[in-house]
Amino acid sequence: MDKLLIQGGKPLRGGVRIAGSKNAALPILAATLLAEQPVTIANLPHLQDVTTMVELLGCIGVDLTVGEKLTVEADANAIVHCSAPYELVKNMRAAVLVLGPLLARFGRARVWFAGGALSGARPVNLHLRGLEAMGARIHQSGGYIEARVEGRLRGARIVMDQVTVGGTENIMMAATLAQGQTVIENAAREPEIVDLAQCLIAMGARIRGHGSATLVIDGVTSLGGCTYEVMPDRIETGTYLAAAAATRGKVLLRNTCPANMAAVLRKLEEAGACLEAGDDWIALDMAARRPRAVSLTTEPYPGFPTDLQAQFMAMNALAQGTATVTETVIADRLGQAHELQRMGADIVVSGNVATIVGQDSLRGTAVMASDLRASAGLVIAGLAAHGKTRISGIHHIDRGYERIEEKLQILGADIRRVGSRSS
Ligand code: EPU
């Protein structure tokens, strides 16, 4: 297994281009199943999860043409199976996003789902409940979720018990081809939902209210083709900003969208960063100062994103002062605290709250990445620490960060990827 080796202590300096958003690309790729003509998706990030989703579409029978500059043309006219098999989806929760589109277009879908769909660590009960309200019959056996409907799905008023990004996406996609109107109350407002809605509208869907807590979808009988460019990745953007702040650096991030990042930019300013932004760029300058500790609580958008919690914990571990980080969106997501402690961080976790007393410095050591965003936190700590940090388990990082070591090298970091035998 590959590892990342980081010789820490160098401030990040320079400019990089932000990739397309993973969490917008995955539902948008799933949405191509709804169209009767080819859909071309541009600005796809080059990531393992995107490759898995493209392979899954191929396996379902979508005719795919991969073009230059991360563009994929998907033609869902010759679908042969309505099934997402175990081998392809076992490591990617987002595979459940094909359920709504397949059911709406073909009246049946079968998706393997890791963990308990109704009560596991991260269940999809709200996706299933919404589809049932639209007339689907759902049944689970042998790890598979099977859904069927006689004729078309029917529009319904669906009140989500909890804000769910994937649940809102699945139901919104299904509703585009349902008979009549669907209203989703307490819908997720994430920019990725807006991006998906805009892509569906370009395919001919009738959607209002995206970006608000009430989504109204008037079903149509068919959707057509379009060309759509995926939005920039706000989590990759926030990760590079936190890394620059933790290393007391100065960076310019291009091809991003500051308008989607208000809560994150506010926290960086509170930490002492000087920020400038245009329509599609953000510049951060720490003027060689140590960041100040910033307390935060993760919340659904427009609150502070759970996907940047680990990166900001790493920054706080090196900051001046004491901060609390409270995780309210995803259970058991403070696992990086333990590895940061091994690097000298002073962090006490109690339930979903971490209290971090900032240290003058951290020391490099061997650490293990346990999930995608936790690994990004460890990379930030390694970049700022004294000495050498060796991060294993980096397949997690490749799920969400395009060419992370190359981009960090461009910013002046001493980081390289090594195979396990050469480490
Ligand atoms: N939940 C339920 N029942 C459901 C659905 C969700 O109880 O039917 C709970 C979950 O267990 C979780 C919370 O609701 O505690 C929020 O889950 P949500 O459905 O919003 O998350 P998701 O759609 O599975 C997306 C992102 C995640 C991101 C979350 C929260 C994608 C592909 N993934 O997941 O991104 O953390 O929203 O913003 O869009 C990542 O990129 O590292 C990542 C994990």
Side-chain angles (χ1 to χ4, degrees):
M1 293 288 247
D2 288 359
K3 293 182 170 59
L4 283 177
L5 281 190
I6 307 173
Q7 183 68 45
K10 292 172 106 184
L12 293 188
R13 288 189 169 276
V16 286
R17 182 183 177 281
I18 295 302
S21 160
K22 166 179 84 78
N23 290 347
L26 296 174
I28 286 174
L29 283 167
T32 64
L33 289 164
L34 291 161
E36 290 182 8
Q37 281 139 18
V39 176
T40 302
I41 308 296
N43 200 33
L44 285 169
H46 195 58
L47 298 172
Q48 187 53 53
D49 275 10
V50 169
T51 307
T52 305
M53 185 60 97
V54 168
E55 275 179 37
L56 171 57
L57 296 180
C59 162
I60 290 172
V62 176
D63 190 7
L64 295 154
T65 312
V66 179
E68 282 184 7
K69 293 194 182 160
L70 306 169
T71 297
V72 167
E73 184 188 282
D75 183 348
N77 258 323
I79 301 263
V80 279
H81 314 285
C82 288
S83 178
Y86 166 78
E87 302 73 43
L88 266 180
V89 307
K90 61 179 191 274
N91 294 321
M92 195 180 67
R93 174 183 163 81
V96 77
L97 293 172
V98 301
L99 193 68
L102 283 176
L103 183 63
R105 179 139 179 241
F106 304 101
R108 64 202 154 89
R110 186 169 181 265
V111 178
W112 194 86
F113 186 74
L118 297 179
S119 60
R122 288 178 62 193
V124 288
N125 56 319
L126 302 175
H127 303 224
L128 305 186
R129 204 183 294 166
L131 296 172
E132 278 172 340
M134 297 170 77
R137 277 178 294 109
I138 293 177
H139 151 105
Q140 291 178 71
S141 67
Y144 278 88
I145 303 171
E146 308 216 26
R148 279 185 181 268
V149 63
E150 296 302 331
R152 285 170 71 190
L153 289 168
R154 295 183 303 276
R157 180 166 175 272
I158 298 164
V159 182
M160 307 299 281
D161 277 356
Q162 193 178 333
V163 177
T164 149
V165 175
T168 303
E169 290 165 346
N170 233 337
I171 296 167
M172 174 166 70
M173 288 190 280
T176 59
L177 290 182
Q179 203 159 23
Q181 187 174 78
T182 300
V183 178
I184 310 176
E185 303 276 13
N186 199 24
R189 293 182 280 165
E190 267 64 7
E192 292 77 12
I193 303 271
V194 175
D195 213 34
L196 172 63
Q198 281 167 348
C199 177
L200 291 166
I201 290 168
M203 288 159 63
R206 292 177 57 204
I207 301 175
R208 284 178 283 138
H210 38 299
S212 81
T214 304
L215 271 168
V216 181
I217 305 117
D218 287 296
V220 295
T221 48
S222 66
L223 293 176
C226 74
T227 296
Y228 193 79
E229 187 167 325
V230 173
M231 63 178 265
D233 197 313
R234 64 193 171 102
I235 306 303
E236 189 193 26
T237 306
T239 301
Y240 284 103
L241 292 174
T247 59
R248 309 182 190 188
K250 180 176 176 180
V251 293
L252 170 64
L253 306 181
R254 295 193 193 83
N255 193 46
T256 186
C257 183
N260 290 335
M261 303 206 50
V264 176
L265 298 183
R266 242 188 341 262
K267 286 293 160 193
L268 288 162
E269 273 177 342
E270 212 179 304
C274 296
L275 293 170
E276 270 187 81
D279 284 348
D280 64 353
W281 58 269
I282 304 178
L284 176 145
D285 187 358
M286 282 307 283
R289 285 188 308 267
R290 185 177 171 196
R292 288 192 292 269
V294 286
S295 292
L296 59 94
T297 299
T298 64
E299 283 165 0
Y301 191 83
F304 189 91
T306 173
D307 292 343
L308 285 172
Q309 175 262 108
Q311 300 86 321
F312 274 65
M313 182 187 286
M315 182 186 84
N316 274 326
L318 285 149
Q320 201 155 21
T322 299
T324 56
V325 166
T326 307
E327 174 58 66
T328 73
V329 177
I330 295 186
D332 299 328
R333 215 188 191 190
L334 297 172
Q336 74 283 356
H338 179 67
E339 296 301 285
L340 291 172
Q341 282 160 350
R342 301 183 57 240
M343 298 176 73
D346 181 347
I347 305 176
V348 176
V349 176
S350 171
N352 67 335
V353 182
T355 304
I356 306 128
V357 181
Q359 304 297 298
D360 281 340
S361 63
L362 298 180
R363 49 173 192 277
T365 186
V367 288
M368 169 70 101
S370 56
D371 81 21
L372 165 55
R373 306 304 173 186
S375 5
L378 296 179
V379 169
I380 291 175
L383 291 170
H386 287 311
K388 194 192 277 185
T389 298
R390 196 174 65 218
I391 307 180
S392 45
I394 61 166
H395 56 284
H396 291 295
I397 228 173
D398 295 331
R399 294 183 51 198
Y401 293 91
E402 185 180 278
R403 302 184 294 114
I404 188 163
E405 70 274 24
E406 285 174 43
K407 286 189 179 179
L408 287 170
Q409 281 160 8
I410 291 168
L411 295 174
D414 184 346
I415 179 169
R416 66 197 165 92
R417 183 181 292 252
V418 291
S420 52
R421 260 175 281 159
S422 50
S423 63

